[in-house]
PDB file of all heavy atoms in Angstrom:
ATOM      1  N   TRP Q  46     122.660  62.048 137.375  1.00 97.00           N
ATOM      2  CA  TRP Q  46     121.951  61.890 138.565  1.00 97.00           C
ATOM      3  C   TRP Q  46     120.831  62.912 138.725  1.00 97.00           C
ATOM      4  O   TRP Q  46     119.668  62.606 139.075  1.00 97.00           O
ATOM      5  CB  TRP Q  46     122.847  61.873 139.846  1.00 97.00           C
ATOM      6  CG  TRP Q  46     123.987  60.989 139.943  1.00 97.00           C
ATOM      7  CD1 TRP Q  46     123.784  59.716 139.276  1.00 97.00           C
ATOM      8  CD2 TRP Q  46     125.207  61.071 140.478  1.00 97.00           C
ATOM      9  NE1 TRP Q  46     125.121  59.057 139.628  1.00 97.00           N
ATOM     10  CE2 TRP Q  46     125.834  59.939 140.362  1.00 97.00           C
ATOM     11  CE3 TRP Q  46     125.849  62.123 141.233  1.00 97.00           C
ATOM     12  CZ2 TRP Q  46     127.154  59.677 140.843  1.00 97.00           C
ATOM     13  CZ3 TRP Q  46     127.021  61.824 141.797  1.00 97.00           C
ATOM     14  CH2 TRP Q  46     127.646  60.632 141.594  1.00 97.00           C
ATOM     15  N   ARG Q  47     121.117  64.168 138.317  1.00 95.00           N
ATOM     16  CA  ARG Q  47     120.137  65.189 138.423  1.00 95.00           C
ATOM     17  C   ARG Q  47     119.014  65.031 137.407  1.00 95.00           C
ATOM     18  O   ARG Q  47     117.812  65.246 137.757  1.00 95.00           O
ATOM     19  CB  ARG Q  47     120.793  66.555 138.198  1.00 95.00           C
ATOM     20  CG  ARG Q  47     121.647  66.992 139.295  1.00 95.00           C
ATOM     21  CD  ARG Q  47     122.276  68.369 139.139  1.00 95.00           C
ATOM     22  NE  ARG Q  47     121.204  69.362 139.279  1.00 95.00           N
ATOM     23  CZ  ARG Q  47     121.431  70.705 139.048  1.00 95.00           C
ATOM     24  NH1 ARG Q  47     122.521  71.057 138.692  1.00 95.00           N
ATOM     25  NH2 ARG Q  47     120.384  71.402 139.254  1.00 95.00           N
ATOM     26  N   GLU Q  48     119.354  64.443 136.229  1.00 96.00           N
ATOM     27  CA  GLU Q  48     118.219  64.231 135.214  1.00 96.00           C
ATOM     28  C   GLU Q  48     117.340  63.058 135.780  1.00 96.00           C
ATOM     29  O   GLU Q  48     116.132  63.316 135.635  1.00 96.00           O
ATOM     30  CB  GLU Q  48     118.913  63.827 133.893  1.00 96.00           C
ATOM     31  CG  GLU Q  48     119.560  65.076 133.255  1.00 96.00           C
ATOM     32  CD  GLU Q  48     120.343  64.586 131.984  1.00 96.00           C
ATOM     33  OE1 GLU Q  48     120.471  63.440 131.647  1.00 96.00           O
ATOM     34  OE2 GLU Q  48     120.924  65.507 131.286  1.00 96.00           O
ATOM     35  N   LYS Q  49     117.969  62.038 136.293  1.00 96.00           N
ATOM     36  CA  LYS Q  49     117.161  60.999 136.769  1.00 96.00           C
ATOM     37  C   LYS Q  49     116.317  61.494 137.997  1.00 96.00           C
ATOM     38  O   LYS Q  49     115.069  61.069 138.204  1.00 96.00           O
ATOM     39  CB  LYS Q  49     118.010  59.814 137.141  1.00 96.00           C
ATOM     40  CG  LYS Q  49     118.630  59.055 136.026  1.00 96.00           C
ATOM     41  CD  LYS Q  49     119.434  57.827 136.569  1.00 96.00           C
ATOM     42  CE  LYS Q  49     119.808  56.966 135.392  1.00 96.00           C
ATOM     43  NZ  LYS Q  49     120.476  55.790 135.842  1.00 96.00           N
ATOM     44  N   ALA Q  50     116.960  62.226 138.938  1.00 95.00           N
ATOM     45  CA  ALA Q  50     116.315  62.767 140.058  1.00 95.00           C
ATOM     46  C   ALA Q  50     115.174  63.638 139.794  1.00 95.00           C
ATOM     47  O   ALA Q  50     114.045  63.606 140.349  1.00 95.00           O
ATOM     48  CB  ALA Q  50     117.221  63.497 141.011  1.00 95.00           C
ATOM     49  N   LEU Q  51     115.251  64.462 138.759  1.00 94.00           N
ATOM     50  CA  LEU Q  51     114.258  65.370 138.241  1.00 94.00           C
ATOM     51  C   LEU Q  51     112.926  64.547 137.824  1.00 94.00           C
ATOM     52  O   LEU Q  51     111.880  64.855 138.198  1.00 94.00           O
ATOM     53  CB  LEU Q  51     114.706  66.230 137.112  1.00 94.00           C
ATOM     54  CG  LEU Q  51     113.635  67.232 136.592  1.00 94.00           C
ATOM     55  CD1 LEU Q  51     113.034  68.150 137.580  1.00 94.00           C
ATOM     56  CD2 LEU Q  51     114.217  67.958 135.402  1.00 94.00           C
ATOM     57  N   ALA Q  52     113.175  63.499 137.052  1.00 96.00           N
ATOM     58  CA  ALA Q  52     112.067  62.671 136.609  1.00 96.00           C
ATOM     59  C   ALA Q  52     111.424  62.031 137.792  1.00 96.00           C
ATOM     60  O   ALA Q  52     110.151  62.021 137.873  1.00 96.00           O
ATOM     61  CB  ALA Q  52     112.541  61.567 135.630  1.00 96.00           C
ATOM     62  N   LEU Q  53     112.206  61.533 138.750  1.00 96.00           N
ATOM     63  CA  LEU Q  53     111.572  60.948 140.031  1.00 96.00           C
ATOM     64  C   LEU Q  53     110.881  62.039 140.757  1.00 96.00           C
ATOM     65  O   LEU Q  53     109.775  61.667 141.238  1.00 96.00           O
ATOM     66  CB  LEU Q  53     112.725  60.311 140.843  1.00 96.00           C
ATOM     67  CG  LEU Q  53     113.453  59.065 140.263  1.00 96.00           C
ATOM     68  CD1 LEU Q  53     114.668  58.681 141.023  1.00 96.00           C
ATOM     69  CD2 LEU Q  53     112.354  57.892 140.159  1.00 96.00           C
ATOM     70  N   PHE Q  54     111.453  63.127 140.917  1.00 93.00           N
ATOM     71  CA  PHE Q  54     110.821  64.251 141.654  1.00 93.00           C
ATOM     72  C   PHE Q  54     109.559  64.632 141.042  1.00 93.00           C
ATOM     73  O   PHE Q  54     108.424  64.935 141.692  1.00 93.00           O
ATOM     74  CB  PHE Q  54     111.793  65.453 141.866  1.00 93.00           C
ATOM     75  CG  PHE Q  54     111.277  66.549 142.652  1.00 93.00           C
ATOM     76  CD1 PHE Q  54     111.284  66.469 144.096  1.00 93.00           C
ATOM     77  CD2 PHE Q  54     110.599  67.635 142.065  1.00 93.00           C
ATOM     78  CE1 PHE Q  54     110.713  67.468 144.809  1.00 93.00           C
ATOM     79  CE2 PHE Q  54     110.129  68.725 142.861  1.00 93.00           C
ATOM     80  CZ  PHE Q  54     110.147  68.523 144.227  1.00 93.00           C
ATOM     81  N   GLU Q  55     109.496  64.819 139.718  1.00 93.00           N
ATOM     82  CA  GLU Q  55     108.287  65.251 139.002  1.00 93.00           C
ATOM     83  C   GLU Q  55     107.207  64.243 139.183  1.00 93.00           C
ATOM     84  O   GLU Q  55     105.979  64.521 139.476  1.00 93.00           O
ATOM     85  CB  GLU Q  55     108.600  65.525 137.521  1.00 93.00           C
ATOM     86  CG  GLU Q  55     109.381  66.737 137.228  1.00 93.00           C
ATOM     87  CD  GLU Q  55     109.722  66.972 135.837  1.00 93.00           C
ATOM     88  OE1 GLU Q  55     109.783  65.929 135.062  1.00 93.00           O
ATOM     89  OE2 GLU Q  55     110.163  68.099 135.468  1.00 93.00           O
ATOM     90  N   ASP Q  56     107.556  63.000 139.143  1.00 94.00           N
ATOM     91  CA  ASP Q  56     106.572  61.859 139.420  1.00 94.00           C
ATOM     92  C   ASP Q  56     105.981  61.974 140.852  1.00 94.00           C
ATOM     93  O   ASP Q  56     104.763  61.936 140.968  1.00 94.00           O
ATOM     94  CB  ASP Q  56     107.208  60.467 139.115  1.00 94.00           C
ATOM     95  CG  ASP Q  56     106.215  59.325 139.367  1.00 94.00           C
ATOM     96  OD1 ASP Q  56     105.215  59.442 138.591  1.00 94.00           O
ATOM     97  OD2 ASP Q  56     106.526  58.422 140.078  1.00 94.00           O
ATOM     98  N   ALA Q  57     106.850  62.102 141.726  1.00 92.00           N
ATOM     99  CA  ALA Q  57     106.461  62.256 143.165  1.00 92.00           C
ATOM    100  C   ALA Q  57     105.629  63.422 143.387  1.00 92.00           C
ATOM    101  O   ALA Q  57     104.572  63.431 144.127  1.00 92.00           O
ATOM    102  CB  ALA Q  57     107.567  62.264 144.130  1.00 92.00           C
ATOM    103  N   SER Q  58     105.863  64.641 142.741  1.00 89.00           N
ATOM    104  CA  SER Q  58     105.178  65.861 142.951  1.00 89.00           C
ATOM    105  C   SER Q  58     103.773  65.644 142.248  1.00 89.00           C
ATOM    106  O   SER Q  58     102.743  66.098 142.817  1.00 89.00           O
ATOM    107  CB  SER Q  58     105.886  67.023 142.242  1.00 89.00           C
ATOM    108  OG  SER Q  58     107.094  67.329 142.911  1.00 89.00           O
ATOM    109  N   SER Q  59     103.676  65.016 141.090  1.00 90.00           N
ATOM    110  CA  SER Q  59     102.465  64.795 140.430  1.00 90.00           C
ATOM    111  C   SER Q  59     101.533  63.899 141.334  1.00 90.00           C
ATOM    112  O   SER Q  59     100.401  64.228 141.443  1.00 90.00           O
ATOM    113  CB  SER Q  59     102.850  64.086 139.063  1.00 90.00           C
ATOM    114  OG  SER Q  59     101.549  63.834 138.419  1.00 90.00           O
ATOM    115  N   ARG Q  60     102.079  62.839 141.919  1.00 90.00           N
ATOM    116  CA  ARG Q  60     101.373  62.034 142.714  1.00 90.00           C
ATOM    117  C   ARG Q  60     100.780  62.672 143.986  1.00 90.00           C
ATOM    118  O   ARG Q  60      99.671  62.535 144.333  1.00 90.00           O
ATOM    119  CB  ARG Q  60     102.097  60.759 143.032  1.00 90.00           C
ATOM    120  CG  ARG Q  60     102.183  59.690 141.970  1.00 90.00           C
ATOM    121  CD  ARG Q  60     102.772  58.440 142.318  1.00 90.00           C
ATOM    122  NE  ARG Q  60     104.243  58.591 142.232  1.00 90.00           N
ATOM    123  CZ  ARG Q  60     105.039  58.255 143.204  1.00 90.00           C
ATOM    124  NH1 ARG Q  60     104.635  57.709 144.312  1.00 90.00           N
ATOM    125  NH2 ARG Q  60     106.390  58.458 143.043  1.00 90.00           N
ATOM    126  N   ALA Q  61     101.638  63.529 144.500  1.00 87.00           N
ATOM    127  CA  ALA Q  61     101.194  64.250 145.735  1.00 87.00           C
ATOM    128  C   ALA Q  61     100.149  65.310 145.314  1.00 87.00           C
ATOM    129  O   ALA Q  61      99.136  65.408 146.033  1.00 87.00           O
ATOM    130  CB  ALA Q  61     102.375  65.018 146.269  1.00 87.00           C
ATOM    131  N   ASN Q  62     100.295  65.925 144.156  1.00 84.00           N
ATOM    132  CA  ASN Q  62      99.333  66.876 143.712  1.00 84.00           C
ATOM    133  C   ASN Q  62      97.944  66.252 143.464  1.00 84.00           C
ATOM    134  O   ASN Q  62      96.845  66.725 143.795  1.00 84.00           O
ATOM    135  CB  ASN Q  62      99.815  67.589 142.512  1.00 84.00           C
ATOM    136  CG  ASN Q  62      99.017  68.749 142.064  1.00 84.00           C
ATOM    137  OD1 ASN Q  62      98.423  69.462 142.904  1.00 84.00           O
ATOM    138  ND2 ASN Q  62      98.822  69.048 140.730  1.00 84.00           N
ATOM    139  N   ASN Q  63      97.993  64.964 142.813  1.00 87.00           N
ATOM    140  CA  ASN Q  63      96.800  64.246 142.518  1.00 87.00           C
ATOM    141  C   ASN Q  63      96.074  63.817 143.802  1.00 87.00           C
ATOM    142  O   ASN Q  63      94.895  63.646 143.755  1.00 87.00           O
ATOM    143  CB  ASN Q  63      97.131  63.032 141.653  1.00 87.00           C
ATOM    144  CG  ASN Q  63      97.508  63.493 140.195  1.00 87.00           C
ATOM    145  OD1 ASN Q  63      97.093  64.567 139.699  1.00 87.00           O
ATOM    146  ND2 ASN Q  63      98.170  62.576 139.590  1.00 87.00           N
ATOM    147  N   ASN Q  64      96.799  63.617 144.944  1.00 88.00           N
ATOM    148  CA  ASN Q  64      96.265  63.195 146.098  1.00 88.00           C
ATOM    149  C   ASN Q  64      95.828  64.444 146.995  1.00 88.00           C
ATOM    150  O   ASN Q  64      95.310  64.327 148.158  1.00 88.00           O
ATOM    151  CB  ASN Q  64      97.269  62.396 147.028  1.00 88.00           C
ATOM    152  CG  ASN Q  64      97.466  61.012 146.350  1.00 88.00           C
ATOM    153  OD1 ASN Q  64      96.552  60.532 145.737  1.00 88.00           O
ATOM    154  ND2 ASN Q  64      98.617  60.569 146.522  1.00 88.00           N
ATOM    155  N   GLY Q  65      96.030  65.626 146.501  1.00 85.00           N
ATOM    156  CA  GLY Q  65      95.562  66.908 147.225  1.00 85.00           C
ATOM    157  C   GLY Q  65      96.580  67.405 148.165  1.00 85.00           C
ATOM    158  O   GLY Q  65      96.350  68.362 148.910  1.00 85.00           O
ATOM    159  N   SER Q  66      97.879  66.878 148.092  1.00 85.00           N
ATOM    160  CA  SER Q  66      98.930  67.250 148.959  1.00 85.00           C
ATOM    161  C   SER Q  66      99.654  68.498 148.384  1.00 85.00           C
ATOM    162  O   SER Q  66      99.754  68.578 147.158  1.00 85.00           O
ATOM    163  CB  SER Q  66      99.867  66.187 149.245  1.00 85.00           C
ATOM    164  OG  SER Q  66      99.226  65.067 149.867  1.00 85.00           O
ATOM    165  N   VAL Q  67     100.218  69.331 149.221  1.00 81.00           N
ATOM    166  CA  VAL Q  67     101.022  70.383 148.796  1.00 81.00           C
ATOM    167  C   VAL Q  67     102.411  70.135 149.337  1.00 81.00           C
ATOM    168  O   VAL Q  67     102.638  69.903 150.557  1.00 81.00           O
ATOM    169  CB  VAL Q  67     100.527  71.741 149.395  1.00 81.00           C
ATOM    170  CG1 VAL Q  67     101.475  72.895 149.022  1.00 81.00           C
ATOM    171  CG2 VAL Q  67      99.110  72.026 148.817  1.00 81.00           C
ATOM    172  N   ILE Q  68     103.432  70.200 148.464  1.00 85.00           N
ATOM    173  CA  ILE Q  68     104.798  69.903 148.903  1.00 85.00           C
ATOM    174  C   ILE Q  68     105.357  71.211 149.260  1.00 85.00           C
ATOM    175  O   ILE Q  68     105.574  72.017 148.390  1.00 85.00           O
ATOM    176  CB  ILE Q  68     105.623  69.163 147.797  1.00 85.00           C
ATOM    177  CG1 ILE Q  68     105.069  67.818 147.551  1.00 85.00           C
ATOM    178  CG2 ILE Q  68     107.089  69.052 148.261  1.00 85.00           C
ATOM    179  CD1 ILE Q  68     105.750  67.035 146.383  1.00 85.00           C
ATOM    180  N   GLY Q  69     105.732  71.406 150.626  1.00 83.00           N
ATOM    181  CA  GLY Q  69     106.296  72.701 150.955  1.00 83.00           C
ATOM    182  C   GLY Q  69     107.795  72.722 150.756  1.00 83.00           C
ATOM    183  O   GLY Q  69     108.474  71.775 150.225  1.00 83.00           O
ATOM    184  N   GLU Q  70     108.413  73.871 151.182  1.00 80.00           N
ATOM    185  CA  GLU Q  70     109.880  74.038 150.909  1.00 80.00           C
ATOM    186  C   GLU Q  70     110.733  72.965 151.513  1.00 80.00           C
ATOM    187  O   GLU Q  70     111.581  72.326 150.758  1.00 80.00           O
ATOM    188  CB  GLU Q  70     110.274  75.404 151.432  1.00 80.00           C
ATOM    189  CG  GLU Q  70     111.640  75.803 151.273  1.00 80.00           C
ATOM    190  CD  GLU Q  70     112.067  77.049 151.939  1.00 80.00           C
ATOM    191  OE1 GLU Q  70     111.151  77.952 152.151  1.00 80.00           O
ATOM    192  OE2 GLU Q  70     113.155  77.353 151.921  1.00 80.00           O
TER     193      GLU Q  70
END
Side-chain angles (χ1 to χ4, degrees):
W46 298 334
R47 289 181 72 184
E48 288 172 358
K49 288 184 175 186
L51 178 59
L53 293 167
F54 182 80
E55 287 175 344
D56 183 55
S58 295
S59 177
R60 282 186 278 133
N62 191 33
N63 289 340
N64 291 330
S66 299
V67 175
I68 298 177
E70 181 181 345

